Amino acid sequence: MPKNKKKRRRRGGLSRLLRPLSVLLAAVAVVAALTMFFKVETIEVIGAGRYTANEIITASGVETGDNLILLDRYRIAQRIYTALPYITDVRPKQSFPSTLQIEVVETKTAAAIQGAGGWWLVNTSGKLLEVVDASAAADYLQIIGRQAVEPAVSAPLALPESSPITASRLLELLSALDEQGVLNRADRIDCSDPGILILEYDGRFRVELLYDADFPFKIAGLRQIAEEVLEPNETGTLRMTYENNDVHLIPDAQ
């Protein structure tokens, strides 16, 4: 075989070996340049209310000088969500070359339920917000007849297995009240009866519901009846446990 052909083969083989190495080195150089120049200089907080921007930034764990590209947005959101219970949604966003934007959404208390340490405030998503005493809990819709299991700040609401209503169904009821705009008109949810749930409503009615009821439908009907059908001075028990969706008012004894 001619010598010049052998030399061309050697050069060809060497170039094939060097090509991926060159690509790798170029990639390393690009990453090094990006991590060197894109540093966090500004942290902007959008949506702060209950918590200050500084509290949210501290909870995020991000500091100026951190690499903007390497930030783990999921971990940032989880840190804030866990440390600051009244925040229920966090959206970190990298704004190059040097800004981190943190948009937060705050929640409100939907109800109070007893558990270890006192009364626990909970939102419609089931997130436990804080523990308060009985006087503070009196300002909210109270859930009685069952207690929260192993409650902790920022943890999801859990009920005993023996409860006639699950936590998810209870939250469905709270959400139905909220969606109808009558959450602040509900006074108490009583789960002590294993067969019938009692909703004390508007300071006027004891509403009887089945635990497997279509809560959005029932609450929409309740609102309509209370506002458009019954007189403002009428009080009593509203029985909404019939399969045909009838509603019977049993007036309070005069």
Side-chain angles (χ1 to χ4, degrees):
M1 182 180 293
K3 291 183 178 180
N4 59 345
K5 287 189 177 181
K6 289 184 179 181
K7 289 181 180 180
R8 283 199 297 270
R9 286 186 180 181
R10 289 195 192 99
R11 286 197 296 267
L14 183 60
S15 64
R16 284 196 297 272
L17 291 174
L18 291 177
R19 192 176 298 119
L21 180 59
S22 300
V23 173
L24 177 60
L25 291 174
V28 170
V30 170
V31 172
L34 292 175
T35 57
M36 181 180 300
F37 293 109
F38 293 99
K39 302 289 187 180
V40 176
E41 295 180 5
T42 305
I43 304 176
E44 298 177 353
V45 176
I46 302 170
R50 172 181 287 268
Y51 304 108
T52 66
N54 284 338
E55 287 176 314
I56 294 170
I57 292 170
T58 299
S60 75
V62 180
E63 299 179 353
T64 56
D66 287 349
N67 185 270
L68 189 62
I69 294 175
L70 299 181
L71 291 178
D72 187 331
R73 290 180 295 175
Y74 174 79
R75 289 187 64 187
I76 292 170
Q78 281 299 111
R79 290 191 199 111
I80 296 172
Y81 179 87
T82 301
L84 306 177
Y86 280 89
I87 290 179
T88 55
D89 193 13
V90 185
R91 305 185 190 104
K93 178 183 177 182
Q94 294 128 312
S95 181
F96 295 100
S98 59
T99 299
L100 173 66
Q101 293 179 341
I102 303 176
E103 183 178 357
V104 298
V105 177
E106 296 188 351
T107 188
K108 64 181 180 180
T109 298
I113 184 171
Q114 284 185 301
W119 286 84
W120 287 82
L121 305 184
V122 61
N123 68 3
T124 55
S125 298
K127 186 180 185 182
L128 295 173
L129 305 174
E130 63 177 308
V131 60
V132 299
D133 59 23
S135 61
D139 293 334
Y140 303 99
L141 163 62
Q142 293 188 343
I143 301 167
I144 65 171
R146 292 295 181 270
Q147 294 193 2
V149 175
E150 298 181 356
V153 172
S154 293
L157 173 66
L159 296 178
E161 292 184 2
S162 60
S163 174
I165 187 170
T166 63
S168 61
R169 289 286 291 154
L170 182 59
L171 297 176
E172 185 180 339
L173 175 56
L174 293 178
S175 294
L177 290 165
D178 189 38
E179 289 168 4
Q180 287 296 320
V182 295
L183 186 62
N184 62 341
R185 297 175 66 176
D187 305 309
R188 181 176 292 182
I189 296 173
D190 188 345
C191 306
S192 57
D193 189 316
I196 296 177
L197 179 149
I198 304 296
L199 169 65
E200 295 183 16
Y201 182 80
D202 209 20
R204 301 168 53 197
F205 303 114
R206 295 176 72 259
V207 183
E208 296 182 353
L209 296 165
L210 296 177
Y211 286 106
D212 61 354
D214 182 342
F215 290 140
F217 177 79
K218 293 291 185 180
I219 298 305
L222 170 63
R223 177 184 178 182
Q224 182 178 19
I225 291 168
E227 295 179 0
E228 302 176 13
V229 178
L230 300 176
E231 296 297 328
N233 62 342
E234 287 188 276
T235 62
T237 298
L238 280 173
R239 188 158 291 165
M240 303 183 72
T241 56
Y242 302 98
E243 292 184 0
N244 59 2
N245 294 322
D246 284 350
V247 180
H248 291 177
L249 172 64
I250 304 173
D252 286 336
Q254 301 296 322

